[in-house]
C-alpha cells in the first residue's frame, strides 16, 4: 500500500512463492517481465521514501489487461523508483519505448525555433492543435505515494509559480475542492476540467486518494495554456488552440514550460530529469519528453484506406478518437499524435506530427479528387 | 503444524492477549523509528500538514477524528505496520451521503482496534448506539435451542437468512493482507470446510479457477459475489490482487454458504426459502461451531474478545457481525404511516430485496436486525423473530380492517 514502508518487512516473513502474484492470465508489460526470481530479488528493497516493489506493481496485478491493448502495469512512487527497481523497469522501458537501452541517452530540446514549419496546417481539415506533457517536482514523492501533506505542498508551490506568470501567461488557479458551480460549468464547457480518475489503472495505483484535496486547474486568461495539478502527475502542462497553427501552440508550450521551470528552480525544487530517462513521470510510458503533440483532423477518406494504419506506423504516429485514449472517432475526425516519448526530443516529436499530418491532409485531398495515393505512402521514419 | 505461521501466531497472540487485558495502547502500538527518508518525511510534514480536510464529510470517522487525536496516532503502527492513515483512507475518499452515515474506517488487523482505540472507541460508540467498548462487555450466545416461535407464516415470509463474518486470528484483514496471508486464509478455511459432513458437506469453488458453467450456475443461484465496485471497499484496498485466493464454498443442499476473502476473511450464510428461521439459525450455529472446532484442531482460532465480540474488518460488524432477516410481504403495513416507527421501536431495519441501498420491489421487504454489538446472537435472532411475528400480526389486522398499535421501544442493552 502506498503510504510509506508499511507492511513490507512483515511480508518478508513469507516465502517468495507465497507472495509472488499470479500473473498467468495477465497481459501487460510488468507481467511479461516480472519472474518469480526477479520478484524475490526486489521484494526486500525500498526507495528512501519507502516505496516497495509491491507498490510498483499493484496496478498491474489488479488489472490483467486487455488481449489487444498492452498496458504498462506498473508505476513509480518517487524519482528513485526507477533506480532501485531498475531490474524491473529497464526491460519494461525497452519493450515499451522501441528498444531503448539502459545505456541510452535521451535528448531534450525545448527550443521551439528548431521546429520547421508547422504554422500552415489546413484549417479546413485540422480543427485543433494541442501539445501536452507532464512534469514532476524534485523533492516530492509521486501521486501513487505522496501523503496529503506532500500533495498540498506541491499544490502550494505550483500555485505560487503559476500565479506569478504574466503577459500571455497571466491566469487563475481553480482548486477542485472549492470551485463554484459556475466555475465548474465553465471549465467543463472549455473542455478543461479533469475529474476524479475512474480508470482502475489509476485508482489501483492509489492516485485518486484523498480526492479532491490538493488538486486543481490553472489556465491563462486566453484559455490557451493550461496546467493540471496533482492528477496523474504533479503537473500536466497543456498548450492548445483551434485550427492548425501547431507552431504557435508549440512556441507557447516551450516558453511557458521554461518560465515555470525557472520559478521552481528558484525555490530549489526543479523538475525531475536525468540524461538517461529525460523527464521522470509516474507512468513509465511517459518518460523522456512525456510529450503528446496532436491534432484533431478530418480524414474520412484516408481513414478508410486499407493502408491507413500502416501509414500511421511509418510516420510514427498514433490515432485516437476525439474523446481521447480508447474512444472511437466521430464523423471521420481523428486525434493524431506522436507515438514516441523516449529516445527523441520534443522538437523531433512535434516535427513528426507536423510533417505527418501535412502529408496525410495532402493524401486526403487526393482521395477526394478520386486519385490514388499509393506513391505518397511514406517510408518508415 | 510447525510452520512459520505458528511462530508468528505465538507472538501475535501475546500482543492480542495484552490488548484484551487492557494493557493500554502504548504497550501494543509501535512507534515508527526507522531512520530512512520516510521518517524524515514524517518530520518534514507534521501531523497538521497531513490532517485530512473533513469539512464536507459525513461519516462516523469524520465526526470523531480531531486534529489532536490524529496527531497522537499518526506515527503509530500495529505490529504488522498498519497505520491510521490506512484505517481512514476509505472515509477520506468517500465523504458520504447526506442521508446515509457510513463508518469511514476499517481495521487492518486485530491489533488495530487496540492501537488506534482512541478513534475506534468513539466511532464504535457512535455506530452501535452508545455501546461503550471501554466499559461494556459483549455477550456471545450461539445456542439456537433457545429460540422460540421461530417459524413464520409462509403466506407472508418468502425466505429466511442469517449471515455473519469470522476472522482468522494471526492473519491480517482484507484491507491489509498480503497475497501470502490471503492465500493462507483460503487454505485454512477450505481445509476446515472440507471436514464438514452430513447435511453440511459441500465443496469449494475458487473464483480464479471456476469454469464458466460453474460461474453461471452460482450466479443463477444468487451465490456468486463479484469483485467489489463500491468505492467504500475499493478505497480500503479490499479488492487488491482480485481474484487471487477468493472463492465460494457451499454445501450440497445449497443452504449453507461461505464467502472467502471478500470484505472479511469469511462470511457465513445460512438460508432457505420459507419461514423456518429457527432451522436456519440452528444450521448456522451448528455449522459455525463445527468450523471453529475444525480450525482449532489445527491450531487456529477466530478473532474474538469480550470487549468487542467477533473482530471483523468494518467496525459496523463487530460483536455478532450478525444480520438475521427475512423477505416478507407487507402490502398493507408498508403503506401505513406508522410502519417506520414500528420498525424503529422493534429495532429492525428495512431494505429492498436486492440488499442494502436497493429499493423494495412491490410490497416485499428485507427486514433484519439493526444491532450487531451489545446483544448476543440468540437475543438478536429472537428479536427478529418476535419483531417479524409482530409485523405479520399487524398485516393480518390491517387486512381484517382492524387497527394496529405501535409497540413500545425495545431496550438497547442489558445494563
Amino acid at each position: 500500500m502506498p503510504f510509506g514502508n508499511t507492511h513490507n518487512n512483515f511480508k518478508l516473513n513469507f516465502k517468495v512463492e507465497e507472495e509472488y502474484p499470479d500473473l498467468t492470465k495477465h497481459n501487460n508489460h510488468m507481467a511479461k517481465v516480472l519472474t518469480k526470481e526477479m520478484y524475490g530479488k526486489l521484494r526486500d528493497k525500498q526507495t528512501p521514501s519507502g516505496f516497495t516493489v509491491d507498490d510498483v506493481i499493484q496496478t498491474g496485478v489488479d488489472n490483467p489487461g486487455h488481449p489487444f491493448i498492452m498496458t504498462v502495469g506498473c508505476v513509480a512512487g518517487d524519482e528513485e523508483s526507477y533506480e532501485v527497481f531498475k531490474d524491473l523497469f529497464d526491460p519494461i522501458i525497452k519493450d515499451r519505448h522501441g528498444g531503448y537501452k539502459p545505456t541510452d541517452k535521451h535528448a531534450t530540446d525545448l527550443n521551439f525555433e528548431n521546429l520547421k514549419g508547422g504554422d500552415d496546417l489546413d484549417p479546413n481539415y485540422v480543427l485543433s492543435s494541442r501539445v501536452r506533457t507532464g512534469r514532476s517536482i524534485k523533492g516530492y514523492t509521486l501521486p501513487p505515494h505522496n501523503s496529503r501533506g506532500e500533495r498540498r505542498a506541491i499544490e502550494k508551490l505550483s500555485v505560487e509559480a503559476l500565479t506569478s506568470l504574466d503577459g500571455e501567461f497571466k491566469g487563475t488557479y481553480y482548486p477542485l475542492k472549492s470551485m463554484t458551480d459556475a466555475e465548474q460549468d465553465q471549465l467543463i464547457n472549455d473542455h478543461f476540467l479533469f475529474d476524479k480518475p475512474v480508470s482502475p489503472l489509476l485508482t489501483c495505483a492509489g492516485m485518486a486518494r484523498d480526492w479532491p484535496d490538493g488538486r486543481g486547474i490553472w489556465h491563462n486568461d486566453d484559455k490557451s495554456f493550461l496546467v493540471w495539478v496533482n492528477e496523474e502527475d504533479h503537473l500536466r502542462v497543456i498548450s492548445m488552440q483551434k485550427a492548425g497553427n501547431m507552431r504557435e501552440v508549440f512556441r507557447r508550450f516551450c516558453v511557458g514550460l521554461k518560465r515555470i521551470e525557472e520559478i521552481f528552480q528558484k525555490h530549489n525544487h526543479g523538475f525531475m530529469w536525468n540524461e538517461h530517462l529525460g523527464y521522470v513521470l509516474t507512468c513509465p510510458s511517459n518518460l523522456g519528453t512525456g510529450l503528446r503533440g496532436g491534432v484533431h483532423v478530418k480524414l474520412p477518406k484516408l481513414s478508410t484506406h486499407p493502408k491507413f494504419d500502416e501509414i500511421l506506423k511509418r510516420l510514427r504516429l498514433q490515432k485516437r478518437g476525439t474523446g481521447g485514449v480508447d474512444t472511437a472517432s466521430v464523423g471521420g475526425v481523428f486525434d493524431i499524435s506522436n507515438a514516441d516519448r523516449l529516445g527523441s526530443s520534443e522538437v523531433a516529436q512535434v516535427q513528426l506530427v507536423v510533417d505527418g499530418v501535412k502529408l496525410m491532409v495532402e493524401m486526403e485531398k487526393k482521395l477526394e479528387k478520386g486519385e490514388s495515393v499509393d506513391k505518397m505512402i511514406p517510408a518508415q521514419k | 503444524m510447525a510452520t512459520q505461521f505458528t511462530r508468528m501466531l505465538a507472538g501475535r497472540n501475546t500482543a492480542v492477549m495484552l490488548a484484551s487485558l487492557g494493557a493500554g495502547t502504548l504497550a501494543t502500538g509501535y512507534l515508527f523509528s526507522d531512520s530512512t527518508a520516510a521518517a524524515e518525511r514524517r518530520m518534514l510534514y507534521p501531523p497538521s500538514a497531513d490532517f485530512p480536510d473533513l469539512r464536507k464529510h459525513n461519516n462516523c470517522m469524520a465526526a470523531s477524528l480531531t486534529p489532536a487525536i490524529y496527531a497522537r496516532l499518526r506515527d503509530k503502527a500495529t505490529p504488522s505496520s498498519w497505520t491510521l492513515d490506512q484505517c481512514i483512507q476509505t472515509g477520506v475518499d468517500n465523504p458520504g451521503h447526506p442521508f446515509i452515515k457510513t463508518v469511514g474506517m476499517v481495521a487492518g488487523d486485530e491489533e488495530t482496534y487496540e492501537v488506534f482505540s482512541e478513534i475506534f472507541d468513539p466511532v464504535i460508540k457512535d455506530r452501535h448506539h452508545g455501546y461503550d467498548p471501554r466499559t461494556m462487555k459483549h455477550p456471545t450466545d450461539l445456542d439456537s435451542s433457545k429460540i422460540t416461535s421461530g417459524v413464520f407464516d409462509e403466506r407472508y415470509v418468502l425466505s429466511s437468512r442469517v449471515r455473519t463474518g469470522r476472522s482468522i486470528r494471526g492473519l491480517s484483514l482484507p484491507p491489509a493482507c498480503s497475497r501470502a496471508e490471503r492465500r493462507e486464509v483460503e487454505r485454512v478455511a477450505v481445509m476446515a470446510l472440507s471436514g464438514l459432513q452430513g447435511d453440511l458437506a459441500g465443496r469449494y469453488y475458487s473464483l480464479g479457477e471456476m469454469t464458466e458453467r460453474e460461474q453461471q450456475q452460482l450466479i443463477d443461484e444468487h451465490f456468486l459475489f463479484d469483485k467489489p465496485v463500491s468505492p467504500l471497499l475499493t478505497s480500503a484496498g479490499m479488492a487488491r490482487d482480485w481474484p487471487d485466493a477468493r472463492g465460494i464454498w457451499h454445501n450440497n443442499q445449497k443452504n449453507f454458504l461461505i464467502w472467502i476473502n471478500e470484505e472479511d476473511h469469511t462470511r457465513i450464510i445460512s438460508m432457505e426459502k420459507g419461514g423456518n428461521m429457527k432451522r436456519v439459525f440452528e444450521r448456522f450455529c451448528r455449522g459455525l461451531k463445527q468450523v471453529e472446532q475444525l480450525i482449532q484442531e489445527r491450531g487456529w482460532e477466530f478473532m474474538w474478545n469480550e470487549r468487542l465480540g467477533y473482530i471483523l474488518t468494518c467496525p459496523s460488524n463487530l460483536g455478532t457481525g450478525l444480520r438475521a432477516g427475512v423477505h416478507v410481504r407487507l402490502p398493507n403495513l408498508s403503506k401505513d404511516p406508522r410502519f417506520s416507527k414500528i420498525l424503529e421501536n422493534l429495532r429492525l431495519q428495512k431494505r429492498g430485496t436486492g440488499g442494502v441501498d436497493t429499493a423494495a420491489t412491490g410490497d416485499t421487504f428485507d427486514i433484519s436486525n439493526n444491532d450487531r454489538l451489545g446483544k448476543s446472537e440468540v437475543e438478536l435472532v429472537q428479536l427478529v423473530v418476535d419483531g417479524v411475528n409482530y409485523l405479520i400480526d399487524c398485516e393480518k389486522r390491517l387486512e381484517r380492517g382492524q387497527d394496529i398499535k405501535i409497540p413500545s421501544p425495545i431496550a438497547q442493552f442489558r445494563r
Side-chain angles (χ1 to χ4, degrees), chain B residues 75-142:
Chain B
D75 296 334
K76 284 199 175 169
T78 66
S80 64
S81 303
W82 185 250
T83 64
L84 178 68
D85 278 331
Q86 288 170 301
C87 290
I88 67 173
Q89 190 66 59
T90 179
V92 176
D93 288 349
N94 299 292
H97 196 272
F99 309 141
I100 303 167
K101 201 170 190 186
T102 45
V103 177
M105 59 196 305
V106 292
D109 51 24
E110 190 165 8
E111 295 83 348
T112 298
Y113 288 104
E114 300 312 313
V115 174
F116 303 112
S117 62
E118 197 179 350
I119 181 62
F120 273 92
D121 285 351
V123 166
I124 289 167
K125 196 166 179 199
D126 185 6
R127 179 59 176 219
H128 293 280
H129 316 119
Y131 181 87
D132 187 348
R134 291 171 192 170
T135 56
M136 293 163 75
K137 292 208 200 317
H138 170 81
T140 293
D141 186 356
L142 284 160

Side-chain angles (χ1 to χ4, degrees), chain A residues 14 33 46-47 63 69 75 79 83 104 113 119 130 159 185 194 196 261-262 269 289 292 331-332 338-339 343 367 374:
Chain A
F14 303 89
V33 159
Q46 50 167 317
T47 66
N63 299 292
I69 303 167
V75 292
E79 192 166 7
E83 259 316 297
D104 285 340
E113 275 151 2
D119 54 355
R130 179 186 188 266
V159 172
D185 287 342
F194 66 92
K196 180 172 181 175
E261 182 161 21
E262 276 160 20
H269 280 286
T289 61
R292 193 170 92 83
N338 54 298
L367 288 171
D374 290 345

Side-chain angles (χ1 to χ4, degrees), chain A residues 141-315:
Chain A
T141 58
L142 297 172
H145 194 36
N146 53 25
S147 66
R148 285 178 291 273
E150 274 190 296
R151 202 184 298 112
R152 290 161 179 170
I154 291 162
E155 184 191 32
K156 185 155 179 280
L157 189 56
S158 302
V159 172
E160 257 179 62
L162 294 166
T163 51
S164 74
L165 297 173
D166 59 9
E168 61 174 323
F169 296 110
K170 184 164 173 311
T172 314
Y173 181 68
Y174 301 88
L176 244 57
K177 70 175 173 185
S178 52
M179 203 173 274
T180 65
D181 278 351
E183 286 167 343
Q184 187 171 299
D185 287 342
Q186 182 66 50
L187 288 165
I188 290 173
N189 288 336
D190 292 330
H191 303 288
F192 282 176
L193 191 66
F194 66 92
D195 211 353
K196 180 172 181 175
V198 290
S199 165
L201 301 176
L202 299 186
T203 55
C204 291
M207 301 197 225
R209 287 173 301 129
D210 314 313
W211 202 275
D213 198 316
R215 275 85 169 192
I217 290 169
W218 177 95
H219 69 77
N220 67 351
D221 295 339
D222 290 339
K223 296 188 182 176
S224 57
F225 193 72
L226 164 68
V227 178
W228 291 352
V229 180
N230 284 320
E231 195 235 12
E232 182 184 334
D233 282 294
H234 287 169
L235 304 172
R236 280 288 177 97
V237 177
I238 300 150
S239 169
M240 61 202 225
Q241 67 192 55
K242 292 252 180 269
N245 195 344
M246 181 61 96
R247 189 179 181 79
E248 170 61 13
V249 168
F250 189 53
R251 182 204 65 80
R252 190 169 50 243
F253 175 81
C254 294
V255 171
L257 267 176
K258 279 223 186 67
R259 298 264 286 265
I260 295 170
E261 182 161 21
E262 276 160 20
I263 301 170
F264 277 103
Q265 272 166 345
K266 263 205 275 237
H267 287 90
N268 289 320
H269 280 286
F271 294 147
M272 289 183 197
W273 180 94
N274 65 58
E275 60 175 8
H276 167 51
L277 295 176
Y279 288 101
V280 176
L281 295 174
T282 304
C283 180
S285 69
N286 282 321
L287 291 167
T289 61
L291 186 142
R292 193 170 92 83
V295 298
H296 281 189
V297 56
K298 282 199 275 201
L299 299 170
K301 290 194 152 34
L302 185 62
S303 58
T304 55
H305 191 286
K307 285 234 165 55
F308 184 48
D309 285 341
E310 176 64 22
I311 291 167
L312 287 172
K313 182 164 167 283
R314 293 189 186 187
L315 292 174

Side-chain angles (χ1 to χ4, degrees), chain B residues 13-27:
Chain B
N13 272 345
T14 315
V16 167
M17 249 177 29
L18 279 175
S20 38
L21 291 172
T25 56
L26 286 177

Side-chain angles (χ1 to χ4, degrees), chain A residues 2-6 9 46-52 55 78 80 141 145 147 150, chain B residues 32-46 50 74-75 83:
Chain A
F3 298 92
N5 180 26
T6 52
N9 292 335
Q46 50 167 317
T47 66
S49 72
F51 208 61
T52 65
D55 295 328
D78 49 23
E80 296 84 349
T141 58
H145 194 36
S147 66
E150 274 190 296
Chain B
F32 277 119
S33 61
D34 52 338
S35 54
T36 62
E40 281 171 32
R41 266 199 319 156
R42 261 188 294 279
M43 277 182 12
L44 203 60
Y45 299 96
D50 275 336
R74 187 195 70 162
D75 296 334
T83 64

Side-chain angles (χ1 to χ4, degrees), chain B residues 21 175 340 415:
Chain B
L21 291 172
S340 290
R415 290 285 161 209

Side-chain angles (χ1 to χ4, degrees), chain B residues 143-278:
Chain B
D143 181 357
S144 59
S145 68
K146 294 177 182 164
I147 300 296
T148 59
S149 314
V151 183
F152 303 118
D153 186 334
E154 294 195 353
R155 289 173 295 171
Y156 298 89
V157 173
L158 308 176
S159 61
S160 309
R161 181 183 186 267
V162 180
R163 69 88 159 149
T164 189
R166 289 289 186 267
S167 309
I168 315 258
R169 175 163 282 162
L171 295 167
S172 303
L173 296 171
C177 64
S178 69
R179 282 179 291 273
E181 287 184 289
R182 201 186 294 113
R183 291 163 180 172
E184 185 69 6
V185 169
E186 185 187 36
R187 263 196 296 273
V188 171
V190 172
M191 202 173 44
L193 293 165
S194 66
L196 292 174
Q197 292 165 349
D199 69 320
L200 294 178
R203 65 163 278 201
Y204 181 64
Y205 301 84
S206 145
L207 238 61
E209 286 159 34
M210 70 174 58
T211 66
E212 290 224 9
R213 232 181 55 160
E214 286 167 340
Q215 186 172 302
Q216 196 52 53
Q217 178 78 36
L218 290 164
I219 290 172
D220 294 339
E221 287 160 344
H222 305 290
F223 283 175
L224 189 66
F225 66 90
D226 211 355
K227 182 169 177 174
V229 290
S230 165
L232 300 176
L233 300 186
T234 54
S235 293
M238 298 197 224
R240 286 173 304 126
D241 313 314
W242 203 273
D244 198 314
R246 273 83 169 193
I248 292 169
W249 180 98
H250 69 74
N251 66 348
N252 298 327
Q253 299 184 8
K254 299 184 182 177
N255 53 25
F256 190 65
L257 163 69
I258 320 273
W259 290 354
I260 294 182
N261 283 319
E262 194 234 11
E263 181 185 335
D264 280 296
H265 283 174
T266 63
R267 281 287 178 96
I268 295 104
I269 301 151
S270 171
M271 62 202 221
E272 57 185 65
K273 293 244 180 280
N276 198 336
M277 179 61 92
K278 185 165 167 94

